[in-house]
Amino acid sequence: MLNTFVKMGLLCLLLFSVVACQPDEEVVDTPPLQNPNPPGNPNNPLETGNLSALPLDIPAPANNPTTTQKVELGRRLFWDPILSGERDVACATCHHPSRGYADGIDLPIGVGGVGFSQNRQVGHTGFVPRNSPSIINTAFNGIEIDGFIDPTSAEMFWDNRANGLEEQSLMPLHSFVEMRGNAYEEDETLDNVVSRLQGIAEYRQQFQAAFGSTTITAQNIARAISAFERTIVANDSPFDRFMRGDNTAMNQQEQLGMNIFVQVGCADCHNGPMFSDFELHTLGMRDNPKLTESDDGDGNYAFRTPTLRNLAFTAPYMHNGEFNSLNQVLQFYDNDNNDSQNPNVNDNELDPDFRRLRNINGNERDAIIAFLGALNDDNFDRTIPANVPSGLNPGGDIGNP
């Protein structure tokens, strides 16, 4: 609970911003609030919100320590369409640095697609049924409120069907719509991919450097890709610096938005260093109209709480890619009737936490959006290799984005 001094400061701040300021005015006379979460403060007034900075150290499994050789091999594999059945799609097709390691469209277009992001045209395999999540900070997936993380059990995908990057990294290769296509049967996927890589001298050399053997295995493919993905981090946002003790890292509106974010219940699910409880929730969202079959979230229409970090780079939002702006997202949660938009989900089946967001006014919504902006950190690796060992176009059939 906020002490009296901070309450008065917030009240004065709110009155000042609503009454005294026009939208384009810069507030210069009001001193910044004190950091509500200074390191080691046992009386943290935001404790119930369970918000904290990301670690500066990047975790890795004991059986897959990060090395330069693995990372560079993983980068080539991530960009090389040789991993896809029809040699036209790479991991980077739907996870591109220019789109925050997502793809900038509501539903991804995998095998058979041509073009990039909003200009990509669907091919013979159709749409991937869920929005591409960014790989930025996936090294921290599964992190708990106290900062503990086990990278081997970290939840992956919108439905948490994989544990850890090593397991996740090979699953898109098996998917007909994502990367496999008609090239071979699903149970033949890894044998074909390994055989292709084994036939390329440069890959044999890189696997030798990374793993001490020219014999390529699916396990080491997964380890290399995962090692690379763990280097794509953005853990020094204004919010991170503020929570580490820099009282000037967030401005007045961002600090106000943080408190409103907690008070109205957003932090019930969007908590911890990644702003996610990594749990599945039923929100009653409609299916994307591009889909011919319902995306039922494994039977209960429940999907994982997404991270709120780096949202400036990863629109559109939600598992179905429905919303193009954060204002639209907040309007969805500010639901007077708590009604389901999915005919397969009754109103009484909606997640209880979904109902906790009270009506918020425009100023409060603007403050929350400003706070979400403080979770952005644009200092992440955007390196695109000039070429890949297969000789194919890095990123697949995406032209020159």
Side-chain angles (χ1 to χ4, degrees), residues 11-121:
L11 179 60
C12 292
L13 168 63
L14 184 58
L15 291 174
F16 183 88
S17 61
V18 173
V19 177
C21 299
Q22 297 301 316
D24 294 330
E25 290 181 337
E26 180 181 0
V27 179
V28 295
D29 295 326
T30 307
L33 298 175
Q34 292 300 304
N35 186 342
N37 188 18
N41 179 5
N43 299 312
N44 171 16
L46 285 180
E47 185 175 0
T48 56
N50 297 317
L51 307 181
S52 54
L54 279 171
L56 295 175
D57 297 325
I58 303 170
N63 65 353
N64 190 26
T66 303
T67 67
T68 300
Q69 293 83 358
K70 282 184 199 173
V71 170
E72 289 310 309
L73 170 58
R75 189 191 307 276
R76 297 304 188 278
L77 293 169
F78 186 87
W79 283 90
D80 200 333
I82 196 71
L83 270 63
S84 66
E86 301 180 23
R87 295 177 171 87
D88 62 345
V89 174
C91 304
T93 307
C94 299
H95 302 282
H96 198 280
S98 70
R99 297 297 184 272
Y101 283 94
D103 60 4
I105 50 180
D106 53 353
L107 297 181
I109 298 172
V111 175
V114 177
F116 178 66
S117 193
Q118 290 89 346
N119 296 319
R120 189 162 174 80
Q121 301 298 310

Side-chain angles (χ1 to χ4, degrees), residues 68-288:
T68 300
Q69 293 83 358
K70 282 184 199 173
V71 170
E72 289 310 309
L73 170 58
R75 189 191 307 276
R76 297 304 188 278
L77 293 169
F78 186 87
W79 283 90
D80 200 333
I82 196 71
L83 270 63
S84 66
E86 301 180 23
R87 295 177 171 87
D88 62 345
V89 174
C91 304
T93 307
C94 299
H95 302 282
H96 198 280
S98 70
R99 297 297 184 272
Y101 283 94
D103 60 4
I105 50 180
D106 53 353
L107 297 181
I109 298 172
V111 175
V114 177
F116 178 66
S117 193
Q118 290 89 346
N119 296 319
R120 189 162 174 80
Q121 301 298 310
V122 68
H124 58 277
T125 61
F127 294 94
V128 181
R130 295 171 191 170
N131 180 259
S132 287
S134 172
I135 69 162
I136 300 174
N137 290 330
T138 50
F140 299 111
N141 273 13
I143 191 168
E144 298 179 7
I145 290 171
D146 62 3
F148 173 79
I149 181 171
D150 178 1
T152 65
S153 63
E155 297 90 342
M156 300 288 165
F157 295 113
W158 279 103
D159 55 7
N160 286 349
R161 68 183 183 273
N163 296 109
L165 283 170
E166 281 74 12
E167 181 180 354
Q168 178 276 329
S169 61
L170 296 181
M171 294 177 74
L173 278 61
H174 293 268
S175 168
F176 171 72
V177 294
E178 291 182 68
M179 296 185 72
R180 178 169 57 87
N182 293 310
Y184 32 71
E185 297 299 319
E186 183 175 357
D187 61 358
E188 300 171 348
T189 297
L190 296 181
D191 288 341
N192 277 275
V193 171
V194 167
S195 177
R196 290 179 182 182
L197 298 178
Q198 193 71 58
I200 300 174
E202 185 176 348
Y203 271 128
R204 293 196 300 272
Q205 295 167 3
Q206 291 194 5
F207 273 88
Q208 170 70 44
F211 297 104
S213 174
T214 58
T215 299
I216 298 173
T217 66
Q219 182 182 58
N220 284 342
I221 294 172
R223 286 172 170 170
I225 294 174
S226 300
F228 162 68
E229 291 183 343
R230 287 193 177 96
T231 68
I232 308 301
V233 297
N235 56 354
D236 196 33
S237 69
F239 167 80
D240 292 307
R241 298 194 299 274
F242 185 79
M243 297 303 263
R244 294 177 191 135
D246 181 357
N247 293 330
T248 66
M250 286 170 53
N251 64 33
Q252 289 279 9
Q253 189 183 36
E254 292 164 349
Q255 294 177 45
L256 177 61
M258 175 170 61
N259 284 281
I260 296 171
F261 179 90
V262 172
Q263 291 163 7
V264 301
C266 300
D268 291 347
C269 299
H270 293 284
N271 51 46
M274 280 287 281
F275 285 78
S276 173
D277 59 7
F278 298 101
E279 295 180 3
L280 306 180
H281 299 278
T282 300
L283 303 183
M285 297 198 67
R286 64 173 187 163
D287 287 318
N288 190 300

